[in-house]
Amino acid sequence: KACQVGPYNSEMVVDKYSEVLDFTYGKQAGLLPSGELVLSIGQDNWAKTQVLEKIAFSHGIQRSVKISVMEHLSEDLISSLKQIPDILMEKRALKIDQKGVMKTMGQLLALRGLINLHLPLSETPEAYWEEPWLEDLYNKISRELDIASRIRTLNRKLDYAHQVVEVLRTELSDRHHTRLELIIIFLISVEVLFEVIHFF
């Protein structure tokens, strides 16, 4: 906490996410088989090097925390849709409205955008492109925290949610077309009735 700069007010934080990893010091930075981080010490200009190593590891860890938030949000979204397949299998009427379906679609698109476009969750930061040794550390911590696998799993879950929402949109569209057809049939019936009355 002594190094914190402008921390959030803890009373305003709704959910807390964290990632904790142990670390030790060694001749070369990296990861032990146990998952423990190793920071280099004793090399030339080791203090500056160690700071860069910490930054590389921190970037990987903060990416894991971001994914944890996305996982939580996606679980909430999927939970709101979990009853839809059962309702369809039992051929029960779906209680849906266009506003609710569009809201869910918006949440789904927002999540997909955060995961794949707006947050650099699946890309190596540009700062490491010219520093292969830092990129290597960043990739090591990313593999240790299963970043790529978690992103793939997230996208698969959101693919499923998208399919469910598409079913709801199709159902709404069918209901709308059916309503229009009934209105047209009613209007034609009224017109025929007037013609019959006028004829007689």
Side-chain angles (χ1 to χ4, degrees):
K1 290 188 177 181
C3 298
Q4 287 184 350
V5 177
Y8 287 109
N9 184 345
S10 59
E11 296 179 357
M12 298 176 63
V13 177
V14 178
D15 296 306
K16 294 183 179 180
Y17 300 88
S18 63
E19 194 76 56
V20 179
L21 292 173
D22 295 326
F23 73 93
T24 186
Y25 296 99
K27 291 183 179 180
Q28 185 175 359
L31 280 169
L32 296 177
S34 62
E36 190 176 31
L37 302 179
V38 179
L39 298 173
S40 64
I41 191 170
Q43 305 294 329
D44 293 337
N45 201 20
W46 66 268
K48 179 181 178 181
T49 300
Q50 197 179 96
V51 169
L52 294 175
E53 291 167 358
K54 289 178 180 179
I55 291 173
F57 283 136
S58 296
H59 274 155
I61 294 171
Q62 61 89 16
R63 188 165 64 155
S64 178
V65 173
K66 287 180 181 180
I67 292 175
S68 295
V69 176
M70 297 298 105
E71 288 169 338
H72 179 75
L73 293 174
S74 67
E75 287 299 329
D76 287 346
L77 178 60
I78 292 171
S79 294
S80 70
L81 301 170
K82 67 180 182 180
Q83 294 182 344
I84 303 302
D86 293 334
I87 292 173
L88 293 173
M89 285 192 297
E90 296 171 7
K91 297 183 178 180
R92 288 185 284 146
L94 285 170
K95 296 180 180 180
I96 55 176
D97 59 80
Q98 186 173 9
K99 184 177 179 180
V101 172
M102 295 307 294
K103 179 181 178 181
T104 302
M105 177 61 79
Q107 292 173 337
L108 178 58
L109 292 174
L111 266 177
R112 296 297 285 264
L114 285 173
I115 294 167
N116 298 298
L117 295 175
H118 307 306
L119 297 176
L121 297 182
S122 58
E123 300 176 0
T124 301
E126 294 183 14
Y128 301 141
W129 289 359
E130 296 180 0
E131 298 290 347
W133 64 282
L134 286 177
E135 183 178 0
D136 182 58
L137 294 179
Y138 177 80
N139 289 334
K140 283 180 178 178
I141 189 65
S142 296
R143 285 194 297 271
E144 177 66 23
L145 297 172
D146 294 326
I147 298 297
S149 174
R150 290 165 66 189
I151 291 174
R152 285 194 298 269
T153 300
L154 262 177
N155 277 314
R156 281 197 297 268
K157 288 182 177 181
L158 294 180
D159 284 340
Y160 167 76
H162 180 78
Q163 291 175 345
V164 174
V165 173
E166 281 300 317
V167 169
L168 297 179
R169 289 182 63 188
T170 300
E171 175 68 16
L172 278 176
S173 179
D174 290 344
R175 287 183 185 181
H176 180 68
H177 291 154
T178 300
R179 192 179 300 113
L180 288 177
E181 289 173 359
L182 290 174
I183 292 173
I184 291 171
I185 291 172
F186 174 75
L187 292 175
I188 292 174
S189 299
V190 170
E191 185 177 356
V192 170
L193 179 61
F194 279 135
E195 288 296 329
V196 171
I197 293 174
H198 179 72
F199 181 76
F200 289 103

